Amino acid sequence: MEFPFDVNALFPERITVLDHNLTAGRKALGRQDPQQQIATVIDELGKASAKAQQLAAPITTAVKLQTNRHHLYLLKEGESNGGKGVVVGFLKVGYKKLFLLDQQGVHVETEPLCVLDFFVTENLQRHGYGLELFSFMLQHKRVEPVRMAYDRPSAKFLSFLGKHYGLKDCVPQVNNFVVFDGFFRDKSAVQLRKALPKKPEGEIKPYSLTEREVVREEQRALPWPFARPTAPPLSPPLSLSSPYSRSLSVDSSPSRGPFRGSPAPGPYRSQTPHSQYIENMNCRARRTSSLNRSQISFH
């Protein structure tokens, strides 16, 4: 494919690797690469490739290359067109996350290197340019053809892969990509992992059965303002002369002094039901002891 500008000055190398920056591997004549001319070459090659594959729109454009992490390998023939050179063809590759079917029909998630577009001008086909371009890409990416996926390959491309690389037995897929027998053999090479099965749609359960039982038990109980906590059982009263009264008082209340009998009389003495009960018991004990002494003196 010829262009009005000097292709050799634009692409110093025989095969130039372009990325999203649209810059050649070396600077042409010590100046910046004219990106507008490079974009023109990419757009014209994309249109020719779409026409050859009978596509409605080009799948390779300069804008798409700038917005994706793809690599485009461009091959030129420098001696043609009066020394200005011509562009022979291009090959575009990139990594894609795919859901593929293996030989057993199991869905597998993988992200292999994919051939996205491949084109050689019609008047220069069957001259070895396609094989030169494809072999350069394999060496640059350090990948085997069987480890790659191919996006909508044409009949000519499939024949090319079978003739030069022995790729003939493909694994059927439901998408536009083609992989061949041997793609799933070494799972570490293509970074495979089985896709998780989708959960069956059904009733949404916000919590488990055990948690729901706990909620039901809590709902049966009265809420806080109406709940009546059970009072702890009353301990048996201790008499004032009990040997344990002193120790209990010291252990249970370290900040207070030891119990020294009944509290001092006065206006600040507090009468609790428990203290009144102890005082009544003491009064009964004194009356009983005095009654016993009177009976003994009577007899």
Side-chain angles (χ1 to χ4, degrees), residues 17 25 45-46 50 59-60 81 84 87 93 99 117 170 175 183 185 220 223 235 239 243 251 255 264-265 280 285:
V17 182
L45 288 174
I59 58 178
T60 299
N81 192 20
K84 293 182 179 181
V87 177
V93 298
F99 290 90
D117 203 357
C170 62
N175 51 22
F183 180 85
R185 289 179 184 174
R220 293 193 186 101
S235 59
S239 62
D251 294 339
S255 62
N280 293 334

Side-chain angles (χ1 to χ4, degrees), residues 1-3 5 10-11 18 22 34-52 57-67 72 74 87 89-90 92 117 119:
M1 183 177 292
E2 298 181 358
F3 292 92
F5 44 81
L10 192 62
F11 305 109
L18 299 174
L22 297 186
Q35 294 187 355
Q36 185 62 39
Q37 293 180 349
I38 294 177
T40 300
V41 173
I42 294 174
D43 290 340
E44 292 299 324
L45 288 174
K47 293 177 183 179
S49 177
K51 182 179 179 181
I59 58 178
T60 299
T61 63
V63 175
K64 291 182 180 180
L65 186 63
Q66 288 177 310
T67 56
L72 188 144
L74 188 144
V87 177
F90 75 98
K92 186 176 72 172
D117 203 357
F119 173 73

Side-chain angles (χ1 to χ4, degrees), residues 10-293:
L10 192 62
F11 305 109
E13 304 291 337
R14 179 174 175 83
I15 298 180
T16 302
V17 182
L18 299 174
D19 57 8
H20 64 282
N21 295 318
L22 297 186
T23 55
R26 296 179 181 178
K27 302 297 182 182
L29 301 178
R31 58 183 177 83
Q32 295 184 351
D33 297 316
Q35 294 187 355
Q36 185 62 39
Q37 293 180 349
I38 294 177
T40 300
V41 173
I42 294 174
D43 290 340
E44 292 299 324
L45 288 174
K47 293 177 183 179
S49 177
K51 182 179 179 181
Q53 300 180 62
Q54 298 180 356
L55 301 178
I59 58 178
T60 299
T61 63
V63 175
K64 291 182 180 180
L65 186 63
Q66 288 177 310
T67 56
N68 292 279
R69 295 290 181 177
H70 298 159
H71 279 157
L72 188 144
Y73 298 85
L74 188 144
L75 175 63
K76 73 165 187 178
E77 181 60 60
E79 298 178 358
S80 303
N81 192 20
K84 293 182 179 181
V86 295
V87 177
V88 176
F90 75 98
L91 172 63
K92 186 176 72 172
V93 298
Y95 289 94
K96 290 283 187 178
K97 182 178 290 186
L98 304 176
F99 290 90
L100 303 176
L101 295 174
D102 61 7
Q103 290 87 341
Q104 289 73 33
V106 178
H107 282 87
V108 177
E109 182 182 356
T110 178
E111 192 172 0
L113 183 66
C114 304
V115 175
L116 304 176
D117 203 357
F118 188 22
F119 173 73
V120 175
T121 55
E122 296 182 357
N123 58 332
L124 295 177
Q125 292 180 4
R126 300 183 183 277
H127 289 76
Y129 293 113
L131 181 60
E132 180 184 358
L133 191 59
F134 199 85
S135 299
F136 182 90
M137 181 274 300
L138 295 177
Q139 295 178 2
H140 182 261
K141 289 295 186 179
R142 298 180 180 179
V143 65
E144 299 178 10
V146 71
R147 307 300 184 191
M148 302 181 66
Y150 302 88
D151 185 13
R152 291 174 292 187
S154 63
K156 291 183 179 181
F157 190 20
L158 291 176
S159 177
F160 170 86
L161 294 174
K163 176 181 179 181
H164 298 286
Y165 300 101
L167 301 180
K168 297 180 180 180
D169 299 328
C170 62
V171 181
Q173 303 296 323
V174 295
N175 51 22
N176 295 323
F177 285 85
V178 172
V179 293
F180 293 91
D181 188 20
F183 180 85
F184 300 97
R185 289 179 184 174
D186 188 3
K187 294 185 178 181
S188 61
V190 291
Q191 301 177 355
L192 300 179
R193 63 177 179 176
K194 291 185 178 180
L196 296 177
K198 294 183 179 180
K199 295 182 179 180
E201 297 181 359
E203 181 183 0
I204 299 177
K205 299 179 180 180
Y207 40 77
S208 62
L209 294 176
T210 305
E211 294 174 344
R212 279 185 281 180
E213 291 296 334
V214 173
V215 173
R216 291 194 186 99
E217 292 295 334
E218 293 178 353
Q219 291 176 351
R220 293 193 186 101
L222 293 175
W224 169 76
F226 306 99
R228 296 181 179 179
T230 58
L234 296 175
S235 59
L238 297 176
S239 62
L240 296 177
S241 60
S242 172
Y244 299 100
S245 61
R246 178 181 178 88
S247 62
L248 289 176
S249 176
V250 175
D251 294 339
S252 61
S253 181
S255 62
R256 297 179 182 179
F259 185 78
R260 302 183 182 276
S262 59
Y268 299 101
R269 178 182 177 182
S270 60
Q271 293 289 339
T272 62
H274 187 63
S275 61
Q276 293 177 359
Y277 175 78
I278 295 176
E279 186 176 356
N280 293 334
M281 293 296 293
N282 293 335
C283 293
R284 290 181 183 179
R286 288 195 295 269
R287 287 200 300 270
T288 304
S289 59
S290 61
L291 180 59
N292 292 336
R293 287 197 299 269

